Amino acid sequence: MTIDCEFLGGGEEVGRLGILLKCPGAKMLFDYGMTASDPPLYPAACPPVDIVFLTHSHLDHCGMIPWLTARYDINVVSTSVSREIAILLMEDSIKIGASEGYPEPYTSNDVKIARRRFEEIMFGDTSSAGKVQVKAHSAGHIPGATMYELIGKRTTLITGDLHTLDTRLVAGAKPVKCDNLIMESTYSGRNHPSRAKTEFALLKKIEEVNNRGGTAIIPSFAVGRTQEILLLLKDSRYEFWLDGMGKKVNKIYMAFPGYVRSAKRLRQAVNRTYEVRNVHARSRAAKADVVVTTSGMLDGGPVLGYVDAIRNDPRSAILLTGYQVEGSNGRKLLETGYMEFQGVSEKVDCEVMKFDFSAHAGHDELLAFAKGCSPEKIVLMHGDEREILAGDLRAEGFEVLLPKNGEKFTL
Ligand SMILES: [Zn+2]
């Protein structure tokens, strides 16, 4: 069985993933996302396919699914929790798009159509596409994140976004023996500090901020990162508040407890969290010990109001918990000490720090994972510095492919 492959997006870049695979009897698409940059970036238009597999519900993997289901009579296979979060993000992306004035790739009616096309798969279960069996495995990245194993004469594993170490929210992914490995490479060339050290440093900084009478604002992505931070704060003595989309994501994760590492601990964390539900609560939260809120890169959402309130207070701090992509408000703040509030650039005088709570495997973890899968061929995707990891993999004897978007290759 040969498989003809092409990246519609997300080959040599982090974002807008779409992997087209043509096997005998089935044309499959894995993920169809958008990069929520300014302006947004979309993958190449997808030709008709028979079936779509969604690895997980981050916008750069799921964001363009309504575009597909509005055009083609196709189903989208995913875990139930990925479906619910994906729908939430798609609806939100329409709202954000409308406020930024960019043309919409789809309407809210298209999102309704998309919802009806989802087909559930559970970890360990198999779905079929033509003569190919497709098995779902946990990818350890966020709850419900899936790796797909294509089982034929030769097997191919597609990782989607991958994390191999246990975090508080999800257990790490385990290697799957395969002949071809299509693996993400976001952190090619970079390793993360140990999670225990990062957690300790964040808690220490919150303590310092509170001891000097300030408030710690923790901007966090709603999906995954927010819950990871709440699980860390749950055993602390601080009063911590949550504002923004993370509240809805909490509810969805609690409704699908099988996808989190400990449903009990997540429930305890959510029960310990004060949620901002009205203006009165928002002003109370702004004076609390800790506020966890969106967006994680300061590009919009309630975080701007909280930061505006403390930006001239040297006792307070902004504690970033995720990578700040180029062009984001968070990156501007780190590089210049200024950030945008409703189009106006303002100086920020409070303390600003960054902590690495990444949900992606680091360089050495990717290398170990690939070795554990012991494939013949490895395709690296979803990375802008793929050559560094490719070099290390080749030194281990693997054949490595680095296809660019639009370049056809065969497995
Ligand atoms: Zn992701």
Side-chain angles (χ1 to χ4, degrees):
M1 180 180 81
T2 56
I3 311 175
D4 294 319
C5 317
E6 182 187 340
F7 284 98
L8 301 175
E12 72 273 32
E13 63 190 337
V14 176
R16 56 167 173 180
L17 192 68
I19 316 169
L20 200 54
L21 298 189
K22 289 182 202 161
C23 296
K27 282 184 203 149
M28 299 178 257
L29 180 71
F30 290 81
D31 290 349
Y32 204 44
M34 58 178 279
T35 305
S37 46
D38 189 6
L41 297 172
Y42 303 110
C46 182
V49 289
D50 300 311
I51 190 160
V52 183
F53 290 88
L54 173 63
T55 65
H56 70 286
S57 48
H58 276 146
L59 217 49
D60 57 330
H61 295 256
C62 71
M64 286 296 278
I65 281 177
W67 184 95
L68 285 173
T69 48
R71 277 163 185 75
Y72 308 130
D73 182 20
I74 44 167
N75 285 353
V76 181
V77 177
S78 86
T79 57
S80 47
V81 68
S82 292
R83 173 194 67 226
E84 294 305 314
I85 303 278
I87 301 285
L88 180 68
L89 293 186
M90 292 163 190
E91 283 167 348
D92 190 60
S93 87
I94 291 178
K95 277 186 226 152
I96 294 172
S99 71
E100 288 178 350
Y102 293 113
E104 307 295 322
Y106 50 82
T107 65
S108 51
N109 195 47
D110 294 333
V111 177
K112 284 197 188 98
I113 295 169
R115 172 181 268 287
R116 294 199 287 270
R117 302 316 300 253
F118 275 87
E119 202 179 287
E120 183 183 351
I121 194 165
M122 290 194 270
F123 296 149
D125 276 1
T126 301
S127 168
S128 58
K131 288 182 190 145
V132 186
Q133 298 293 304
V134 183
K135 190 173 177 185
H137 301 268
S138 171
H141 170 61
I142 54 169
T146 308
M147 305 191 286
Y148 289 105
E149 179 191 6
L150 279 60
I151 307 168
K153 270 200 182 132
R154 294 167 61 76
T155 59
T156 300
L157 184 74
I158 299 168
T159 65
D161 287 359
L162 175 70
H163 200 14
T164 58
L165 301 181
D166 293 345
T167 58
R168 287 175 186 263
L169 186 61
V170 252
K174 301 274 178 297
V176 175
K177 294 273 182 257
C178 57
D179 301 300
N180 304 311
L181 172 64
I182 303 180
M183 183 170 76
E184 69 120 320
S185 54
T186 315
Y187 277 85
S188 167
R190 288 176 292 157
N191 278 310
H192 304 297
S194 96
R195 180 57 62 97
K197 274 190 188 154
T198 306
E199 289 183 342
F200 182 76
L202 177 63
L203 290 173
K204 195 102 189 90
K205 182 50 69 179
I206 295 171
E207 187 184 2
E208 205 183 301
V209 170
N210 279 277
N211 284 346
R212 66 189 187 215
T215 297
I217 308 294
I218 307 187
S220 297
F221 309 122
V223 181
R225 191 65 38 84
T226 286
Q227 293 72 32
E228 187 71 19
I229 298 298
L230 298 181
L231 282 162
L232 175 64
L233 293 173
K234 121 180 138 58
D235 299 320
S236 72
R237 60 185 169 77
Y238 307 113
E239 181 181 309
F240 52 95
W241 285 73
L242 174 64
D243 200 352
M245 208 210 304
K247 292 179 286 180
K248 283 186 183 164
V249 177
N250 280 356
K251 281 206 178 71
I252 295 172
Y253 283 171
M254 306 260 280
F256 296 93
Y259 289 100
V260 296
R261 191 171 159 204
S262 166
K264 186 180 162 198
R265 285 204 290 270
L266 182 62
R267 196 172 56 245
Q268 288 168 342
V270 172
N271 288 343
R272 267 277 276 125
T273 306
Y274 291 89
E275 285 191 1
V276 174
R277 297 203 180 97
N278 52 46
V279 182
H280 172 69
R282 193 161 278 178
S283 60
R284 208 181 134 194
K287 297 186 195 82
D289 299 335
V290 181
V291 184
V292 180
T293 184
T294 44
S295 74
M297 292 194 253
L298 308 173
D299 282 323
V303 72
L304 295 178
Y306 291 106
V307 169
D308 201 18
I310 56 120
R311 68 185 167 85
N312 293 322
D313 174 10
R315 297 169 305 164
S316 292
I318 304 166
L319 308 178
L320 300 162
T321 56
Y323 185 68
Q324 307 292 310
V325 302
E326 219 161 296
S328 67
N329 212 7
R331 177 68 82 91
K332 178 175 170 164
L333 173 63
L334 285 170
E335 286 174 354
T336 66
Y338 282 79
M339 61 178 267
E340 305 269 326
F341 295 88
Q342 271 82 38
V344 184
S345 193
E346 304 272 13
K347 193 161 188 324
V348 174
D349 284 323
C350 69
E351 190 176 9
V352 180
M353 273 187 85
K354 196 174 76 147
F355 298 85
D356 181 349
F357 277 89
S358 173
H360 290 266
H363 181 95
D364 292 350
E365 290 140 21
L366 289 169
L367 200 57
F369 181 84
K371 281 193 217 169
C373 295
S374 61
E376 269 170 37
K377 269 188 202 175
I378 299 176
V379 176
L380 293 182
M381 61 166 178
H382 203 270
D384 42 25
E385 307 247 7
R386 295 180 294 176
E387 290 73 14
I388 306 168
L389 183 59
D392 283 2
L393 289 167
R394 285 180 184 130
E396 296 282 342
F398 296 110
E399 184 187 340
V400 182
L401 277 64
L402 301 176
K404 295 203 160 120
N405 293 344
E407 189 182 323
K408 294 190 170 55
F409 60 101
T410 305
L411 291 175

